[in-house]
Amino acid sequence: MPAHRDLVRSLPDLGYTDLWSAETAGADAFTPLALAAEWAPRLRLGTSIVPVFTRGPAVIAMSAAAIAELAPGRFTLGIGSSSPTIVEGWNGGVFHKPYQRVRDTLAFLRAAFTGAKVSADYDTFSISRFRLERPPATPPRVMVGALKQGMLKLAANHADGAITNWLAPSDVATVRSAVNDDTELVARIFVCPTADKDAARALGRLLISSYLTVPVYAAFHEWLGRGELLKPMQDAWASGDRAAANAAIPDSLIDELIVHGHPDACRERVASYVDAGVAVPVMSVLPTGGDPVEVVRALAPGR
């Protein structure tokens, strides 16, 4: 992580405006942003996302308040439900009523960031006499990780925006139809800047079979109209035949969901998400075998 310092410092001059973190089984979402807050004080920072089941509500509030203090006015807290694998399989929690848990956590955070003492019975947890000792002078904006209509409407009506994932530019209009016109939409976009089409598609197959077999993503793509297209892959995955699942993914789907090609072509493809209605395209850069620092520079908006 310390090796990111020079790259992060260079991002604003390369034309980048934002730096968003994520967490699965590597770094947590907050620690990299604490470093980035000092390294690049011009960047907007965000989490995409912090799971609401793997930390207590007060711990989320404390961690977010700390980053908000380090980056006043520049930090956005993205929260979401995550998945049963991460919540139950990896953290020993219970993945139950995800919509309600996200809604309740959002309501609690709004209250906690004011510095008021919070005592409340929510549907999925109760809080007794919690007060942030260091409430941020500028409370962080709070966004909701959202795929289908329920979470998207929660994000539009009660949060500061929605964070979505695993969609093509042609899907943005469907997602936008579930939110308000002024809702800020952040989208995580997988980018593989390589001219080796076969290598990019092979990596894309692995990612698609790993993600779009997860129930929440399967339901998302059912809503987007890809249910029949994905069914052969999902059936093979459910039977334990991983090779058949990967083989069942058509190249056309990979080309829709994974941005790949020369860096110039990748930048154009990412820009098409913005043209379709995404406010903040967050590039998640996939490994190409090249120097990742040079890859980030090659993809820079300022080029």
mmCIF file of all heavy atoms in Angstrom, residues 70-87:
data_model
loop_
_atom_site.group_PDB
_atom_site.id
_atom_site.type_symbol
_atom_site.label_atom_id
_atom_site.label_comp_id
_atom_site.label_asym_id
_atom_site.label_seq_id
_atom_site.Cartn_x
_atom_site.Cartn_y
_atom_site.Cartn_z
ATOM 1 N N LEU A 70 -10.307 13.806 8.069
ATOM 2 C CA LEU A 70 -9.071 13.899 7.287
ATOM 3 C C LEU A 70 -9.295 14.578 5.939
ATOM 4 O O LEU A 70 -8.383 15.201 5.395
ATOM 5 C CB LEU A 70 -8.505 12.495 7.046
ATOM 6 C CG LEU A 70 -7.947 11.749 8.267
ATOM 7 C CD1 LEU A 70 -7.621 10.311 7.888
ATOM 8 C CD2 LEU A 70 -6.707 12.451 8.807
ATOM 9 N N ALA A 71 -10.504 14.430 5.393
ATOM 10 C CA ALA A 71 -10.807 14.977 4.070
ATOM 11 C C ALA A 71 -12.123 15.744 4.124
ATOM 12 O O ALA A 71 -13.111 15.332 3.522
ATOM 13 C CB ALA A 71 -10.878 13.852 3.052
ATOM 14 N N PRO A 72 -12.164 16.852 4.849
ATOM 15 C CA PRO A 72 -13.440 17.562 5.024
ATOM 16 C C PRO A 72 -14.038 18.010 3.701
ATOM 17 O O PRO A 72 -13.365 18.622 2.867
ATOM 18 C CB PRO A 72 -13.046 18.764 5.903
ATOM 19 C CG PRO A 72 -11.567 18.903 5.758
ATOM 20 C CD PRO A 72 -11.047 17.535 5.515
ATOM 21 N N GLY A 73 -15.309 17.636 3.504
ATOM 22 C CA GLY A 73 -16.011 18.011 2.291
ATOM 23 C C GLY A 73 -15.656 17.185 1.082
ATOM 24 O O GLY A 73 -16.201 17.408 0.001
ATOM 25 N N ARG A 74 -14.761 16.215 1.241
ATOM 26 C CA ARG A 74 -14.301 15.439 0.085
ATOM 27 C C ARG A 74 -14.621 13.953 0.200
ATOM 28 O O ARG A 74 -14.232 13.176 -0.667
ATOM 29 C CB ARG A 74 -12.782 15.588 -0.084
ATOM 30 C CG ARG A 74 -12.318 16.983 -0.407
ATOM 31 C CD ARG A 74 -10.842 17.008 -0.774
ATOM 32 N NE ARG A 74 -9.965 16.686 0.354
ATOM 33 C CZ ARG A 74 -9.135 15.650 0.386
ATOM 34 N NH1 ARG A 74 -9.096 14.786 -0.613
ATOM 35 N NH2 ARG A 74 -8.360 15.456 1.436
ATOM 36 N N PHE A 75 -15.303 13.534 1.249
ATOM 37 C CA PHE A 75 -15.500 12.107 1.482
ATOM 38 C C PHE A 75 -16.960 11.730 1.340
ATOM 39 O O PHE A 75 -17.848 12.384 1.898
ATOM 40 C CB PHE A 75 -15.011 11.721 2.881
ATOM 41 C CG PHE A 75 -15.324 10.297 3.259
ATOM 42 C CD1 PHE A 75 -14.937 9.246 2.448
ATOM 43 C CD2 PHE A 75 -16.029 10.018 4.418
ATOM 44 C CE1 PHE A 75 -15.242 7.929 2.791
ATOM 45 C CE2 PHE A 75 -16.333 8.714 4.775
ATOM 46 C CZ PHE A 75 -15.940 7.668 3.954
ATOM 47 N N THR A 76 -17.200 10.663 0.586
ATOM 48 C CA THR A 76 -18.530 10.083 0.426
ATOM 49 C C THR A 76 -18.497 8.651 0.954
ATOM 50 O O THR A 76 -17.668 7.847 0.527
ATOM 51 C CB THR A 76 -18.971 10.077 -1.040
ATOM 52 O OG1 THR A 76 -19.068 11.423 -1.513
ATOM 53 C CG2 THR A 76 -20.314 9.387 -1.202
ATOM 54 N N LEU A 77 -19.399 8.364 1.879
ATOM 55 C CA LEU A 77 -19.508 7.018 2.432
ATOM 56 C C LEU A 77 -20.534 6.238 1.619
ATOM 57 O O LEU A 77 -21.720 6.572 1.620
ATOM 58 C CB LEU A 77 -19.941 7.086 3.899
ATOM 59 C CG LEU A 77 -20.272 5.743 4.569
ATOM 60 C CD1 LEU A 77 -19.033 4.859 4.659
ATOM 61 C CD2 LEU A 77 -20.876 5.974 5.956
ATOM 62 N N GLY A 78 -20.075 5.224 0.926
ATOM 63 C CA GLY A 78 -20.985 4.328 0.228
ATOM 64 C C GLY A 78 -21.214 3.085 1.064
ATOM 65 O O GLY A 78 -20.256 2.421 1.479
ATOM 66 N N ILE A 79 -22.472 2.788 1.367
ATOM 67 C CA ILE A 79 -22.815 1.602 2.151
ATOM 68 C C ILE A 79 -23.698 0.688 1.302
ATOM 69 O O ILE A 79 -24.358 1.125 0.368
ATOM 70 C CB ILE A 79 -23.543 1.953 3.463
ATOM 71 C CG1 ILE A 79 -24.860 2.708 3.175
ATOM 72 C CG2 ILE A 79 -22.636 2.772 4.384
ATOM 73 C CD1 ILE A 79 -25.742 2.904 4.402
ATOM 74 N N GLY A 80 -23.686 -0.599 1.647
ATOM 75 C CA GLY A 80 -24.513 -1.545 0.919
ATOM 76 C C GLY A 80 -24.632 -2.848 1.669
ATOM 77 O O GLY A 80 -24.035 -3.037 2.735
ATOM 78 N N SER A 81 -25.392 -3.758 1.102
ATOM 79 C CA SER A 81 -25.682 -5.010 1.813
ATOM 80 C C SER A 81 -24.587 -6.045 1.662
ATOM 81 O O SER A 81 -24.498 -6.966 2.468
ATOM 82 C CB SER A 81 -27.007 -5.593 1.311
ATOM 83 O OG SER A 81 -26.932 -5.897 -0.063
ATOM 84 N N SER A 82 -23.753 -5.963 0.622
ATOM 85 C CA SER A 82 -22.754 -6.982 0.314
ATOM 86 C C SER A 82 -23.464 -8.278 -0.093
ATOM 87 O O SER A 82 -24.527 -8.234 -0.702
ATOM 88 C CB SER A 82 -21.797 -7.169 1.488
ATOM 89 O OG SER A 82 -20.700 -7.982 1.110
ATOM 90 N N SER A 83 -22.899 -9.431 0.275
ATOM 91 C CA SER A 83 -23.444 -10.710 -0.184
ATOM 92 C C SER A 83 -23.390 -11.740 0.938
ATOM 93 O O SER A 83 -22.621 -11.596 1.900
ATOM 94 C CB SER A 83 -22.635 -11.232 -1.369
ATOM 95 O OG SER A 83 -21.332 -11.631 -0.944
ATOM 96 N N PRO A 84 -24.185 -12.814 0.853
ATOM 97 C CA PRO A 84 -24.129 -13.868 1.876
ATOM 98 C C PRO A 84 -22.741 -14.479 2.026
ATOM 99 O O PRO A 84 -22.336 -14.824 3.143
ATOM 100 C CB PRO A 84 -25.147 -14.896 1.371
ATOM 101 C CG PRO A 84 -26.121 -14.098 0.563
ATOM 102 C CD PRO A 84 -25.292 -13.038 -0.104
ATOM 103 N N THR A 85 -21.997 -14.609 0.924
ATOM 104 C CA THR A 85 -20.652 -15.187 1.020
ATOM 105 C C THR A 85 -19.767 -14.363 1.939
ATOM 106 O O THR A 85 -19.089 -14.896 2.828
ATOM 107 C CB THR A 85 -20.014 -15.287 -0.375
ATOM 108 O OG1 THR A 85 -20.769 -16.197 -1.178
ATOM 109 C CG2 THR A 85 -18.574 -15.778 -0.283
ATOM 110 N N ILE A 86 -19.764 -13.041 1.746
ATOM 111 C CA ILE A 86 -18.905 -12.173 2.546
ATOM 112 C C ILE A 86 -19.437 -12.044 3.971
ATOM 113 O O ILE A 86 -18.680 -12.120 4.941
ATOM 114 C CB ILE A 86 -18.771 -10.801 1.875
ATOM 115 C CG1 ILE A 86 -17.964 -10.935 0.581
ATOM 116 C CG2 ILE A 86 -18.114 -9.787 2.814
ATOM 117 C CD1 ILE A 86 -17.871 -9.661 -0.237
ATOM 118 N N VAL A 87 -20.739 -11.868 4.094
ATOM 119 C CA VAL A 87 -21.326 -11.618 5.418
ATOM 120 C C VAL A 87 -21.327 -12.881 6.271
ATOM 121 O O VAL A 87 -20.900 -12.865 7.431
ATOM 122 C CB VAL A 87 -22.755 -11.063 5.270
ATOM 123 C CG1 VAL A 87 -23.432 -10.937 6.633
ATOM 124 C CG2 VAL A 87 -22.728 -9.708 4.570
#
